[in-house]
Amino acid sequence: MALHMAVDVVRESEQSLTSQIQRFIRKEIAEGILHPGTRLPSSRRLADDLGVSRSVVVEAFGQLVAEGYLEAVRGAGTRVVAHLEAEPPQVVPALLEEGPDAHAAGARWDLRPGGHTFAAFPRREWLSCYQRVLNRADATGHGYPPLAGEPALRLELAHCLGRLRGVRTGADQVMVVAGFAQTLSLVCAALAQDGVTALGIEDPGHPGQRQFVRDSGLCPVPLPVDAEGVDVEALAASGLRAVLVTPAHQFPTGVKLSASRREALARWARDTGGLVIEDDYDGGLWYEQGGIRPLAFQREAPDHVVYAGTASKTLAPGLRLGWIAAPRPLLDRLLRVRARQDLGTDTLTQLAFAELLRGGLFDRHLRRLNARARSRREALEEAVRKHLPGARVIGRAAGLHAYVRLPRHVDEAAVVAGALARSVLVRGGAAFHARPGPTAPALVVGHAHLPRSGVTEAVRELAEVVRGR
């Protein structure tokens, strides 16, 4: 294997080349640049790359092996020893998805709402689309992408969003982004340029988004949510100029913004010139029996809404693929903001996704994923009825999670702690509230990534905890 390695040597130095190589590699290992287990080039390859005698490198490697920095394994080359102590890695928690959890690895059933259905990822279809893109790609297909996204994908997204969600947009009003995190970052930056200092957020809502907004320089202002969705009267009374909402399937309660609230929110936006950020985080996942798929709020006031979607729930969060539909003047401003941050989203991934949309393969995948999620939701509702008397699953049958309201007398925090002791990792509703204070006990249950039997068994364990309290 022809490995390469950057080594800094000075031929005019009074120090020998062997000593320079030894000192450089020692320093790189000590500073954590060369990690334990890293395989190094062969002595012959490194000597050729440095333009030195092979014996120089052989001697340097030999000394470092003797000192315990490197190990030479027959048939496996020379590596940095695996047992060197290193600084613990700095874990950066995900802001818009469930981040790492110290207890997750040991829990048998992980019911956090960030669970992903990667088992349902359309591997064969995706590979086929990606291969077709690679076979057709010319030099431009491997260059920097257009900042707004590949025209082919923007066109397919405009078609798909209009057909599936009723979004009023055209390809020239769509931008492809690296997930909802980038959408929120761009919009917050644009709002700050306009002198906006605060952003309304739903309460309860996503705690990661609250922190993200705060870190972006804006003050998140909680707005209450009830059975009809976000309280628009509270929004109007707040004096805010922008608000972030999840109208189709409120996170985490699952309620849908009522028709009267939709009208009121659109009226607020038009009367005040305010901006609505619509986070349609799981727009393609709607499996309520006999239910009509809700249309995007954006169609109510297209000149005042940034509609944002993502492939994180329907495909995989690792793709880092999302999209924005916005009025053209605002989209131009968002593009100018983006030009200072990056050079666009991966071209080949965009084109593969365009293929998936164009051929109807994405719709076929959504039907399979919806059937799977519906099955898990039914298992959850049945298990709650059978094992948790007095509890009920509220909200629309959509997305990858459900909101389980517990009986009033139940201690939510005690259930969460007791569940963990029984190897069930679950989030309580209080964790999603911005304002402290008494709230109706509830659990936010991610269910779509589990087998039906797993959903049932996890609820049975939760019931044992409740009965023991």
Side-chain angles (χ1 to χ4, degrees):
M1 187 182 298
L3 300 176
H4 297 277
M5 177 181 174
V7 177
D8 187 18
V9 294
V10 180
R11 297 183 184 281
E12 296 76 17
S13 172
E14 294 182 358
Q15 187 179 28
S16 70
L17 291 172
T18 297
S19 296
Q20 289 185 58
I21 294 171
Q22 290 174 14
R23 189 169 70 171
F24 179 84
I25 294 176
R26 276 195 215 99
K27 185 172 181 290
E28 298 293 280
I29 293 173
E31 294 180 358
I33 298 171
L34 287 178
H35 303 277
T38 299
R39 185 173 177 180
L40 303 187
S42 68
S43 57
R44 187 184 304 279
R45 169 60 63 182
L46 185 56
D48 287 345
D49 289 345
L50 295 178
V52 300
S53 168
R54 185 187 177 198
S55 62
V56 170
V57 179
V58 168
E59 183 180 351
F61 279 8
Q63 182 60 35
L64 291 169
V65 168
E67 293 175 7
Y69 287 94
L70 302 180
E71 57 184 353
V73 181
R74 183 179 296 276
T78 302
R79 301 175 184 269
V80 179
V81 295
H83 61 270
L84 285 176
E85 293 186 4
E87 291 294 320
Q90 297 298 310
V91 177
V92 180
L95 292 179
L96 305 182
E97 302 285 344
E98 279 286 344
D101 192 295
H103 304 291
R108 183 178 183 192
W109 303 119
D110 185 352
L111 302 183
R112 293 177 301 166
H116 306 300
T117 57
F118 188 65
F121 186 85
R123 293 170 175 80
R124 184 171 58 185
E125 293 90 339
W126 182 263
L127 181 60
S128 174
C129 291
Y130 208 93
Q131 189 167 21
R132 285 200 296 272
V133 166
L134 283 174
N135 289 340
R136 288 201 305 259
D138 54 16
T140 59
H142 295 280
Y144 290 109
L147 198 58
E150 287 293 332
L153 179 54
R154 296 169 71 193
L155 179 63
E156 293 301 327
L157 283 171
H159 292 171
C160 179
L161 295 177
R163 175 170 52 83
L164 288 179
R165 309 295 292 124
V167 175
R168 300 180 186 272
T169 192
D172 64 331
Q173 295 175 280
V174 173
M175 174 164 60
V176 182
V177 293
F180 183 71
Q182 185 169 39
T183 295
L184 194 53
S185 174
L186 294 173
V187 175
C188 285
L191 288 172
Q193 289 178 357
D194 284 346
V196 175
T197 59
L199 177 65
I201 56 168
E202 296 170 328
D203 187 22
H206 201 306
Q209 289 184 353
R210 288 198 296 270
Q211 185 61 46
F212 194 96
V213 170
R214 189 176 293 111
D215 291 344
S216 296
L218 302 185
C219 175
V221 178
L223 300 169
V225 169
D226 58 24
E228 293 189 73
V230 68
D231 187 338
V232 183
E233 289 187 2
L235 169 62
S238 69
L240 289 165
R241 295 168 56 190
V243 62
L244 169 61
V245 294
T246 52
H249 187 229
Q250 200 276 332
F251 186 87
T253 65
V255 301
K256 185 176 73 168
L257 193 66
S258 68
S260 61
R261 293 276 177 89
R262 285 170 69 100
E263 293 174 6
L265 184 57
R267 189 166 52 250
W268 169 84
R270 288 191 294 265
D271 291 348
T272 65
L275 180 67
V276 178
I277 308 165
E278 178 178 6
D279 179 9
D280 195 11
Y281 62 97
D282 58 10
L285 295 171
W286 189 269
Y287 43 87
E288 188 173 63
Q289 292 285 9
I292 299 174
R293 187 185 300 274
L295 297 172
F297 170 76
Q298 181 264 4
R299 61 190 285 114
E300 309 286 343
D303 293 337
H304 299 276
V305 178
V306 172
Y307 172 90
T310 172
S312 293
K313 301 296 186 294
T314 54
L315 288 174
L319 288 176
R320 304 315 305 139
L321 187 61
W323 43 88
I324 297 172
R328 188 68 226 191
L330 178 56
L331 190 69
D332 289 340
R333 293 185 53 218
L334 294 176
L335 284 168
R336 288 194 292 272
V337 172
R338 184 179 190 177
R340 298 194 294 270
Q341 294 185 2
D342 66 19
L343 294 176
T345 305
D346 167 42
T347 297
L348 296 176
T349 297
Q350 289 189 62
L351 294 176
F353 188 47
E355 283 282 314
L356 203 70
L357 292 173
R358 185 183 302 113
L361 298 175
F362 183 68
D363 285 69
R364 185 188 304 171
H365 165 66
L366 278 184
R367 283 194 291 273
R368 291 196 299 260
L369 189 55
N370 272 312
R372 175 193 178 104
R374 179 189 297 119
S375 171
R376 275 49 173 185
R377 169 84 176 213
E378 290 170 351
L380 176 66
E381 292 177 346
E382 180 182 350
V384 168
R385 283 194 302 269
K386 183 176 181 180
H387 301 293
L388 283 173
R392 61 191 180 96
V393 182
I394 69 170
R396 300 289 183 152
L400 304 179
H401 79 281
Y403 199 76
V404 180
R405 186 83 74 189
L406 298 173
R408 285 280 180 180
H409 68 275
V410 172
D411 184 333
E412 176 191 297
V415 171
V416 171
L420 185 58
R422 299 183 73 92
S423 202
V424 178
L425 183 58
V426 68
R427 294 283 187 257
F432 298 85
H433 283 264
R435 292 191 175 100
T439 60
L443 300 174
V444 182
V445 178
H447 57 76
H449 61 290
L450 298 176
R452 281 181 61 94
S453 60
V455 174
T456 301
E457 184 171 341
V459 172
R460 191 180 296 122
E461 293 292 342
L462 291 172
E464 288 295 327
V465 176
V466 172
R467 277 195 289 270
R469 295 292 157 187

